[in-house]
Amino acid sequence: MNRRQFTSLLLALSFAVAAPVSAARADDDEKKMTADEIIAKHFEAIGGREAMAKFKTRVAIGTVAKEDEPAARFAVMSEAPNRVSVYYGFRDYDARLVYDGTRAAVRPNFARQFANLSEKYEEILASGLMFNQMSLYNLLTSGATGEMKLEAKGTKKVKGRQAYVVQVKPKKGSAMRLYFDAENFMWVRTDYGKTALSRELSRTSSNINDINNQAGSEQTFDFYIETSDFRDVDGVKLPFKFEQLLTAPLMRQKIVGTVTGTISEYQHNGKIDPSMFQ
């Protein structure tokens, strides 16, 4: 090997060694972003806090599909600073999730064996995190972040894309995690924490009402929502597609599953019937 070949080999080796170190440093830099910095980047990306402050009401209208049923009507009605009402018009029944600013409710009422699930839905509703930016009432736009502990938790992939993770710990209730796309800072996922069910309740049934809650070991699963397909609406970027985990008795063929939804229209600053929040 002559001197020129030896020099070329050394240069090649130095680049091969340096590349992983550089990538590692980039990952370290990402993990050092604070929760406040991540959220500030998110607001900048969607259009700014001033643009969001112009909205007093928001209605998101669309459809949602679950199990083998045809697409059902769906709406999220929200009002600043802290009211939200969600409607699912499923094939065999209507379901509503409501938070009036002080109290959350799920209708129709869940049977006793599903009491812990009802409590979880109420906790998520009250948190202001149930539908990410689809709802005008959410933790980030309501200005309530000072009442909760926010902590950056590095990065994690969502649908194959890197996302910043911000953990939210309220004064009461479970810790939840928000995910923001590392490139465009859209709010793409929220994890609401785990819920436990007995193994007997967790079995699939052709008729969910036939399941009896009997003693036994527990199975846990994670509540979450993912939002995507962000588009400009009245000067801000909002999601037009989502995937959400729902449980019995909202699910009828199995104890837990996912629903997919598509928003067809957003309406801002229209009058919402006060009865929608009752």
Side-chain angles (χ1 to χ4, degrees):
M1 179 182 295
N2 60 37
R3 180 176 295 178
R4 181 177 295 178
Q5 290 173 324
F6 182 73
T7 302
S8 298
L9 178 59
L10 286 178
L11 287 172
L13 288 173
S14 66
F15 280 115
V17 172
V21 173
S22 176
R25 286 176 179 169
D27 289 341
D28 289 342
D29 289 342
E30 289 179 348
K31 293 177 182 179
K32 290 178 182 177
M33 286 191 71
T34 67
D36 288 340
E37 289 171 339
I38 295 168
I39 292 172
K41 288 277 191 180
H42 165 68
F43 272 103
E44 180 182 350
I46 65 173
R49 289 182 180 272
E50 289 185 3
M52 295 294 295
K54 295 177 181 178
F55 305 135
K56 304 305 177 185
T57 66
R58 173 180 294 159
V59 178
I61 301 170
T63 58
V64 65
K66 75 175 180 72
E67 299 170 323
D68 59 357
E69 297 181 7
R73 292 174 297 160
F74 170 82
V76 179
M77 296 158 279
S78 52
E79 182 178 85
N82 58 357
R83 300 207 295 181
V84 62
S85 177
V86 186
Y87 169 78
Y88 301 88
F90 293 127
R91 181 181 62 189
D92 301 323
Y93 66 99
D94 292 343
R96 288 185 61 209
L97 309 175
V98 179
Y99 182 66
D100 65 4
T102 57
R103 182 176 176 274
V106 180
R107 299 188 181 93
N109 295 331
F110 286 8
R112 182 176 299 176
Q113 66 262 40
F114 301 114
N116 65 325
L117 297 178
S118 180
E119 291 172 359
K120 188 63 178 179
Y121 283 112
E122 291 171 2
E123 178 188 48
I124 297 170
L125 275 165
S127 74
L129 296 172
M130 188 159 201
F131 282 93
N132 298 359
Q133 287 289 4
M134 289 166 59
S135 170
L136 188 60
Y137 167 52
N138 65 66
L139 172 70
L140 304 187
T141 57
S142 67
T145 54
E147 300 176 6
M148 302 185 179
K149 181 180 179 181
L150 302 178
E151 184 179 359
K153 290 291 186 179
T155 60
K156 187 175 181 180
K157 284 191 176 181
V158 176
K159 299 293 188 185
R161 292 175 61 88
Q162 206 73 6
Y164 295 105
V165 184
V166 174
Q167 179 170 284
V168 179
K169 184 64 176 73
K171 292 180 179 179
K172 295 181 180 180
S174 305
M176 303 179 185
R177 291 196 169 194
L178 319 182
Y179 298 77
F180 300 90
D181 188 284
E183 292 185 15
N184 58 35
F185 285 92
M186 295 296 106
W187 186 357
V188 293
R189 181 180 171 104
T190 302
D191 286 339
Y192 304 111
K194 297 182 181 296
T195 299
L197 292 173
S198 73
R199 292 281 180 180
E200 281 295 320
L201 243 180
S202 298
R203 291 179 182 170
T204 301
S205 171
S206 59
N207 184 350
I208 202 69
N209 296 316
D210 290 341
I211 298 178
N212 295 316
N213 186 8
Q214 301 175 7
S217 59
E218 289 187 331
Q219 177 180 358
T220 60
F221 54 88
D222 296 306
F223 273 93
Y224 75 91
I225 189 169
E226 291 183 346
T227 43
S228 59
D229 189 16
F230 297 88
R231 309 178 199 172
D232 290 327
V233 180
D234 297 332
V236 298
K237 288 186 179 296
L238 297 174
F240 277 74
K241 292 186 182 299
F242 67 94
E243 178 181 294
Q244 181 184 25
L245 182 140
L246 291 181
T247 66
L250 299 178
M251 302 295 283
R252 291 296 174 92
Q253 297 179 17
K254 51 187 177 180
I255 195 69
V256 60
T258 58
V259 299
T260 57
T262 301
I263 302 301
S264 58
E265 180 184 8
Y266 281 97
Q267 300 174 0
H268 284 122
N269 293 334
K271 183 176 177 57
I272 299 176
D273 188 334
S275 67
M276 294 293 100
F277 302 110
Q278 298 174 357

